[in-house]
Amino acid sequence: MKFIGQLLGKHLARYPSMQLLDIYKLLHQAALGNSHAVGSPGEVARRLEEEIACMGEGPSEPLWEPISPDGRLVRVHLRSYVADKHDLQALADAHMRSPETCPPAPERLARFCGCLGDLASEGILPFNRDDVITCFDEIAEQGFPAVGHTKTYRENYKPAYRVVDIELLPPSMRST
C-alpha cells in the first residue's frame, strides 16, 4: 500500500530507532484510532494533565502529524501543543470524541500489517522480511492488541502525544 510506505518512510526518517512494535503501534493508531485509550471525561483530562506535568524535554516535533490515509487521524505532540499555548480542554474533548468520528477499522489494520513483508523486501523497512512476517503473524494471532512504545523508542524520543480527529480541533490548529 502506497500510503503505508509513505507513512513509515516519514516516521523512520524522523524516528530511525523505531522497532517493529513501534511500527505496529503507529499502524494500530492509524486504523483503530485512540478507542483503546479513552475513559471518562474527567479521567481523560486528568491523564492529559499528568502526562504534561511529567513529560520533560524531548525532541523538536511538529504540532501534529497525520497518521491515517484520509489525514483525519493525527498525533498531536504535547510539547508543541503546550508551547503554543493551545487549550488543553479542547484537546481532551477531541480525544474523547475521536472514536465516534473516526471509528476503529480492524480490517484496515490487518491490511496495513499485511503489506509490511513487501515493504521490508523493497527496503522501505530496515528489517528482514522474514522477521517482519513472523512478528506480524504473531500479532495477528493475538488479535491485534494495543501495545506501548518500545523502551528504545521511549528512551530516544520521549513520546508525548494524543491521537485525535483533526476535524475536532479548533480551526486555527488545522492549518499548522
Side-chain angles (χ1 to χ4, degrees), residues 19-127:
Q19 304 297 300
L20 284 173
L21 286 180
D22 300 306
I23 289 171
Y24 170 68
K25 180 173 182 69
L26 175 62
L27 298 180
H28 189 278
Q29 292 171 337
L32 303 181
N34 67 355
S35 59
H36 70 283
V38 175
S40 70
E43 184 181 358
V44 167
R46 180 187 54 76
R47 285 193 318 242
L48 177 60
E49 289 172 6
E50 286 175 357
E51 185 168 356
I52 288 169
C54 67
M55 69 183 167
E57 297 293 318
S60 175
E61 295 172 312
L63 179 58
W64 55 267
E65 57 190 332
I67 62 169
S68 64
D70 62 7
R72 286 196 59 177
L73 282 173
V74 300
R75 281 182 174 174
V76 175
H77 296 283
L78 298 181
R79 287 180 195 84
S80 297
Y81 193 88
V82 170
D84 290 348
K85 299 183 181 359
H86 290 290
D87 180 24
L88 291 182
Q89 190 58 52
L91 182 58
D93 292 345
H95 184 78
M96 284 289 303
R97 293 183 48 219
S98 291
E100 299 165 16
T101 59
C102 293
E107 69 287 347
R108 186 180 301 155
L109 178 57
R111 283 195 321 270
F112 289 172
C113 292
C115 72
L116 295 176
D118 290 340
L119 293 176
S121 292
E122 293 170 18
I124 294 171
L125 299 181
F127 303 100

